[in-house]
Amino acid sequence: MPKYFGAVYPDVTDLETGEVTSYTDYYFALNAIIVSLMGFCSAFGGGLISDKFEKKGILMTKAYVCLFAGIAGIPTAAICLLVNNNFWISITFLGLEYLVAECWFAPAIAIVLNTISPENKGFAISAFIYLSTISGTLGTWLCGFLTNKYIIFETDPDTDKKTATNPDDYGKILCLLIVISYGGSLPFFWMAGKEYTAHKKKEKLKEE
């Protein structure tokens, strides 16, 4: 995202007054707030909702939260990336994406911990985190590959900053990768929820 915002929203100088509007500074300041505040609210809210409604007997709650994150993350990311002629719209929807799409992690970890046998929990969590890291790394590599192949950058000789000459295509590439990521996770969240529900029902029968 930093490269995207830097390339699509370069600093602008008013020709009459010489005043510089530094969208770069705006982005880094606001992004720090978004990642910390919105990320915290999303993660905390996801865990809170999962626990609250599961106690009421809705065993699919954790899966529903994960599904909500995947579904809600798509339109918010799309608006952030495809509406690339207004910095404030893009940064607002980046914040909304963090708020709605980061709530999946805690419920997903809880599903893994509650369905794996005690002797395999360490391995399962390690594998989960490893695969998440690998997928993120591959996604970053693919994004870089497509960007270098299809996006044309111009370099400002004074500031040495690069600006995308075709920001629409840049946004479309990132949006496509996010849609694949979020959309591709949905069936797996659903299947995990079904497995988790069946597991909890079996546990309840054993207790009775």
Side-chain angles (χ1 to χ4, degrees), residues 21-89:
T21 302
S22 180
Y23 288 115
T24 303
D25 291 344
Y26 286 152
Y27 169 78
F28 282 110
L30 292 171
N31 186 62
I33 296 171
I34 287 170
V35 172
S36 57
L37 180 60
M38 297 299 189
F40 169 77
C41 290
S42 185
F44 184 76
L48 191 67
I49 291 170
S50 297
D51 291 341
K52 180 178 179 179
F53 287 94
E54 184 169 323
K55 289 176 182 177
K56 294 182 178 181
I58 307 174
L59 298 178
M60 279 288 289
T61 300
K62 288 182 172 62
Y64 290 152
V65 170
C66 294
L67 290 167
F68 170 80
I71 293 170
I74 292 174
T76 50
I79 295 174
C80 170
L81 295 168
L82 299 181
V83 180
N84 46 37
N85 57 1
N86 188 304
F87 173 84
W88 299 108
I89 291 177

Side-chain angles (χ1 to χ4, degrees), residues 148-192:
N148 292 332
K149 187 174 180 63
Y150 295 107
I151 305 303
I152 301 171
F153 294 96
E154 287 183 349
T155 303
D156 188 320
D158 297 324
T159 63
D160 203 34
K161 290 183 178 180
K162 293 183 178 181
T163 304
T165 59
N166 48 342
D168 288 343
D169 292 337
Y170 199 174
K172 288 175 183 176
I173 289 173
L174 291 177
C175 186
L176 175 63
L177 294 174
I178 288 175
V179 169
I180 291 172
S181 174
Y182 286 162
S185 69
L186 297 179
F188 296 100
F189 283 144
W190 178 261
M191 288 187 289

